[in-house]
Amino acid sequence: MPTLEIRDLHVSVETKEGPKPILRGVDLTIASGETHAIMGPNGSGKSTLASALAGHPKYTVTSGTATLDGEDLLAMSVDERARAGLFLAMQYPVEVSGVSVANFLRTAKTAISGEAPALRTWGKEVRGAMENLRMDTAFAERSVNEGFSGGEKKRHEILQMELFKPRFAILDETDSGLDVDALRVVSEGVNRAKEQTDVGILLITHYTRILRYIKPDFVHVFVDGKIAEEGGSELADRLEEEGYDKYLGANKTVSA
Amino acid sequence: MTTATTDLTTDHSRAVADGAHTHGAVKPQGSRAERRTSFSLEDIPIPAGREEEWRFSPADRLQPLFQADLGSSGVTVEVTAAPEVTVETVGRDDARLGTAGKPGDRTAVTAWNAFQQATIVTIPKEAVASDVTSVRVRGVSQDASAAHVLVRAERHSEAVVVLDHDGVGTLAETVEIVVEDGAQLTVVSVQDWADGAVHASSHRARIGRDAKLKHVVVTFGGDVVRVTPDAEFTAEGGEVEMVGLYFADTNQHQEHRLFVDHAVPDCKSRVTYKGALQGAGAHTVWVGDVLIRAAAENTDTYELNRNLVLSDGARADSVPNLEIETGEIAGAGHASATGRFDDEQLFYLQARGIPETEARKLVVRGFFAELIHEIGVPSVEERLLASIEAELEKSMSVITGAPTA
Ligand SMILES: Nc1ncnc2c1ncn2[C@@H]1O[C@H](COP(=O)(O)OP(=O)(O)OP(=O)(O)O)[C@@H](O)[C@H]1O
Ligand SMILES: [Mg+2]
């Protein structure tokens, strides 16, 4: 069964003062069809983990491994990782002026599957997926993320996940900024992808409300660059009640 | 570009990063109304380099064109005209020459004084040209030369005239454009010189009552290309649409200085120039002077310049400049922005499986697409798209280290 395997991952971020270590030994294994939730305080390194796995140039892996289905993910370029089946729904999706959503989706789909999608069925598929996510089909003609509201950007990320059919998807705070209806609609999209493609999911969140729609098989508590505790979905409820105090050392606050 | 938009080197304090704004009355120093124009070499001497109109230019590389003794052997001019259009080659003394305004800088005045023969393209009264008329200016040697082209659209005529510049040349050129009452003329000037070419071109247009000029400038090739289009309205109801597209590679200097002179009421001008830059030493300059004189009530004007910097070491100067001498205007605005293709955009597109070269192409094509469709001449649009693809291939090889085809 395909797995995304992360072993003792150490990652630094480039800063003006030189490299700054953020991840300090992350171990995580996700199998197809599984949903893992990661919760943790601000600044603990959750987005860093997501970006480093996707290959953002700002982050340097200083030690450890990450493999997708046995293949060395860290040896691949950003686009190779995506073509290998990794998807990252970003916390802050980037605007790309002048490139229409329709053109972008077609270009990305072509790159990922290695051939242009059949014209007739693709258009239908895109429209169908947009309707499911309650996105006006007029978005197809707009520039990628340009002028999209926060919630619209998140829907657009999940739209891509449904259309590109990755083997593993990292959802970085896809739930933040969504109103209650949007949260349900987006969660349904994720669940559809789970059913149809058996995608393995790493879901980064601060709130349990999304976990009522997307049931996690495992919950990981992320503190100070690594996983501090693991459990089932009951752990999420406990975190929401108790916060992260017990994981943070007495003299330790969330680092700025 | 919306992300990482900076006014890199604009010295116009009102240039905004994104979007536009409208002015009340603004009077910057060195009004265009006071700029000297003349047919005489003595009146416009060789620049020292610090003059307002030369301060961004590589004066050393333009030196040959500052001289009074320009020849004519460096270029050939060939015209393929639509059947309705007449073409003549005339001497200096033809009375129709020099009617579209006076030279406004040194290369314009050397060009005017040195040309031996001029090419006149006339679209006769009420004629509608059934095809594009093509004027091909070909550089055949590095001998510093002068050339003169006059395009005359007589009353109520309609035509598209495309000037093409290629080969290797060192050329000071005048393009006079006369659009008589009610005529509709499109003039496209493509500068696609080979490496080594140096070109200074003064376009001077006069637009009559209810006439419309669409003026398109496309600059890709050549070491130094400096085009200075002037447009002047002579009666009410005139309209000018000025569109420009440029793509500068390593060590290329591409400069476009426009001047729209609103001297009469009820005229409209629209200026849209977009440029991409790639490679060390790529330098583009865009200066857009718009003058709305006291008499030009109900003027409607808007100018826009956008630059997309694709790599480090390239520099885009952008200076919009709007002078308004009357309070009674319909609209006046400008916008200028220089954006970078940044790492975050590249990461986003690559994270969707799109390889780096493809991602850059996507962004550059997107940047130019709308502008190209504004040109409205299908044969030109197709060529432009092909040229942009070729430029992209060139610039991709800079990134990937692959040899150019
Ligand atoms: N360029 C940088 N310079 C300095 N510190 C940085 C830089 N980039 C990231 N960091 C730091 O790395 C740490 C981890 O950031 P990260 O975005 O991964 O946190 P997070 O867990 O996703 O937080 P949040 O819940 O707020 O999204 C933070 O302390 C952040 O300030
Ligand atoms: Mg984060």
Side-chain angles (χ1 to χ4, degrees):
Chain A
M1 186 186 292
T3 53
L4 175 62
E5 212 170 309
I6 302 155
R7 283 286 159 269
D8 195 29
L9 195 70
H10 287 72
V11 170
S12 293
V13 65
E14 303 302 334
T15 74
K16 275 185 225 107
E17 293 80 41
K20 172 182 167 185
I22 307 287
L23 300 188
R24 307 157 189 276
V26 179
D27 285 294
L28 189 60
T29 303
I30 303 171
S32 288
E34 289 179 357
T35 298
H36 294 242
I38 287 193
M39 304 180 79
N42 293 132
S44 56
K46 304 178 300 295
S47 292
T48 302
L49 175 64
S51 298
L53 289 174
H56 194 294
K58 212 169 68 175
Y59 302 93
T60 312
V61 175
T62 50
S63 67
T65 60
T67 56
L68 198 161
D69 220 359
E71 301 274 347
D72 182 2
L73 207 53
L74 304 179
M76 299 179 202
S77 65
V78 176
D79 47 303
E80 284 169 346
R81 295 178 200 206
R83 294 198 296 273
L86 185 71
F87 180 82
L88 169 61
M90 297 191 195
Q91 186 172 359
Y92 304 108
V94 182
E95 301 186 356
V96 189
S97 186
V99 178
S100 72
V101 167
N103 187 12
F104 164 70
L105 293 175
R106 196 180 342 98
T107 306
K109 182 67 180 179
T110 303
I112 288 166
S113 51
E115 57 180 2
L119 266 179
R120 269 187 323 153
T121 49
W122 176 246
K124 245 190 169 153
E125 204 178 326
V126 172
R127 273 194 304 280
M130 289 179 94
E131 276 159 24
N132 282 337
L133 286 164
R134 313 275 190 281
M135 283 179 81
D136 192 322
T137 47
F139 275 96
E141 295 317 314
R142 288 175 60 175
S143 289
V144 170
N145 291 323
E146 195 173 66
F148 287 23
S149 74
E152 287 163 354
K153 284 181 182 167
K154 297 303 176 70
R155 287 175 209 230
H156 180 233
E157 295 292 284
I158 298 307
L159 173 71
Q160 293 169 54
M161 175 177 142
E162 284 203 71
L163 292 170
F164 301 160
K165 307 194 188 329
R167 297 203 283 166
F168 292 93
I170 304 168
L171 311 183
D172 192 357
E173 296 200 26
T174 298
D175 54 338
S176 59
L178 293 181
D179 65 40
V180 278
D181 294 329
L183 182 70
R184 187 174 42 75
V185 164
V186 161
S187 301
E188 283 167 8
V190 175
N191 288 331
R192 264 194 309 276
K194 279 173 67 168
E195 274 162 36
Q196 288 166 9
T197 65
D198 208 31
V199 58
I201 290 176
L202 183 63
L203 189 155
I204 297 169
T205 182
H206 286 291
Y207 308 104
T208 51
R209 56 174 202 161
I210 192 172
L211 303 180
R212 285 198 282 276
Y213 296 105
I214 305 169
K215 287 274 165 254
D217 302 298
F218 305 92
V219 174
H220 310 268
V221 186
F222 207 81
V223 180
D224 198 21
K226 54 178 182 249
I227 290 167
E229 189 177 351
E230 298 177 310
S233 58
E234 74 291 342
L235 179 55
D237 296 318
R238 209 185 76 210
L239 288 171
E240 187 146 274
E241 273 181 25
E242 298 174 5
Y244 300 108
D245 278 356
K246 88 174 228 209
Y247 302 101
L248 299 166
N251 56 353
K252 218 157 170 214
T253 51
V254 179
S255 55
Chain B
M1 314 299 304
T2 358
T3 47
T5 301
T6 47
D7 290 313
L8 273 184
T9 47
T10 175
D11 67 355
H12 180 84
S13 58
R14 288 165 193 270
V16 287
D18 217 67
H21 62 279
T22 304
H23 282 217
V26 177
K27 244 203 197 293
Q29 31 174 219
S31 166
R32 262 320 281 248
E34 290 147 23
R35 179 89 49 91
R36 174 148 223 186
T37 59
S38 170
F39 287 110
S40 159
L41 284 163
E42 285 72 48
D43 290 339
I44 308 179
I46 294 179
R50 284 182 301 277
E51 293 80 358
E52 169 57 35
E53 64 265 40
W54 294 103
R55 67 187 176 106
F56 294 114
S57 315
D60 51 336
R61 295 202 270 177
L62 284 157
Q63 238 3 280
L65 300 179
F66 292 154
Q67 312 308 317
D69 59 350
L70 300 172
S72 57
S73 59
V75 293
T76 59
V77 180
E78 217 173 274
V79 184
T80 311
E84 302 80 4
V85 169
T86 61
V87 181
E88 300 157 78
T89 304
V90 302
R92 292 187 56 82
D93 54 352
D94 193 289
R96 291 168 294 180
L97 301 176
T99 60
K102 292 182 238 174
D105 64 27
R106 180 67 188 180
T107 48
V109 81
T110 57
W112 170 260
N113 282 281
F115 79 90
Q116 296 303 318
Q117 292 190 312
T119 305
I120 301 184
V121 173
T122 303
I123 304 100
K125 190 173 71 175
E126 284 159 25
V128 176
S130 56
D131 202 352
V132 170
T133 293
S134 151
V135 180
R136 187 164 281 276
V137 179
R138 181 159 280 159
V140 292
S141 86
Q142 292 279 26
D143 300 338
S145 298
H148 195 107
V149 176
L150 164 62
V151 181
R152 293 175 58 244
E154 293 184 349
R155 3 187 19 221
H156 299 288
S157 65
E158 284 176 36
V160 176
V161 177
V162 179
L163 282 87
D164 270 296
H165 302 84
D166 57 22
V168 183
T170 301
L171 176 67
E173 182 186 39
T174 306
V175 178
E176 288 193 275
I177 302 165
V178 176
V179 194
E180 292 184 0
D181 294 352
Q184 306 223 0
L185 177 66
T186 297
V187 173
V188 182
S189 181
V190 181
Q191 289 67 236
D192 200 6
W193 299 97
D195 290 349
V198 176
H199 182 206
S201 188
S202 168
H203 289 223
R204 301 198 287 274
R206 290 220 150 176
I207 299 144
R209 185 178 308 276
D210 299 325
K212 179 169 181 189
L213 171 65
K214 186 185 281 194
H215 184 264
V216 182
V217 173
V218 178
T219 303
F220 286 122
D223 282 8
V224 179
V225 175
R226 188 177 187 275
V227 183
T228 55
D230 294 351
E232 188 184 337
F233 296 103
T234 59
E236 288 92 336
E239 187 178 338
V240 65
E241 183 183 349
M242 304 175 95
V243 176
L245 188 158
Y246 47 93
F247 200 130
D249 295 321
T250 305
N251 289 331
Q252 278 187 303
H253 177 93
Q254 298 178 347
E255 180 165 349
H256 301 93
R257 285 181 170 266
L258 293 83
F259 177 37
V260 183
D261 191 348
H262 282 273
V264 292
D266 300 319
C267 292
K268 179 176 169 183
S269 57
R270 287 286 179 276
V271 177
T272 313
Y273 268 62
K274 283 188 166 193
L277 298 84
Q278 168 97 45
H283 186 196
T284 66
V285 178
W286 178 86
V287 178
D289 290 337
V290 176
L291 173 61
I292 305 174
R293 296 183 194 258
E297 290 182 356
N298 202 29
T299 289
D300 180 3
T301 181
Y302 191 84
E303 54 171 353
L304 169 85
N305 175 230
R306 284 195 191 287
N307 295 293
L308 177 60
V309 178
L310 295 165
S311 73
D312 290 338
R315 169 177 157 166
D317 288 296
S318 179
V319 188
N321 194 4
L322 183 53
E323 292 178 71
I324 306 174
E325 296 176 349
T326 171
E328 304 297 312
I329 50 172
H334 65 198
S336 157
T338 296
R340 264 184 166 278
F341 179 59
D342 69 2
D343 291 345
E344 294 303 325
Q345 288 176 324
L346 180 60
F347 175 67
Y348 188 78
L349 295 171
Q350 279 190 283
R352 271 52 178 150
I354 303 170
E356 173 169 2
T357 52
E358 193 57 37
R360 284 178 177 269
K361 286 185 189 180
L362 203 60
V363 168
V364 173
R365 281 194 207 112
F367 178 71
F368 283 128
E370 211 180 309
L371 187 70
I372 288 175
H373 293 132
E374 264 173 49
I375 292 171
V377 185
S379 61
V380 172
E381 290 178 6
E382 276 163 38
R383 269 177 47 198
L384 273 187
L385 285 169
S387 298
I388 288 172
E389 293 302 309
E391 286 293 329
L392 282 166
E393 289 307 326
K394 240 197 275 179
S395 51
M396 288 320 136
S397 69
V398 175
I399 295 160
T400 59
T404 19

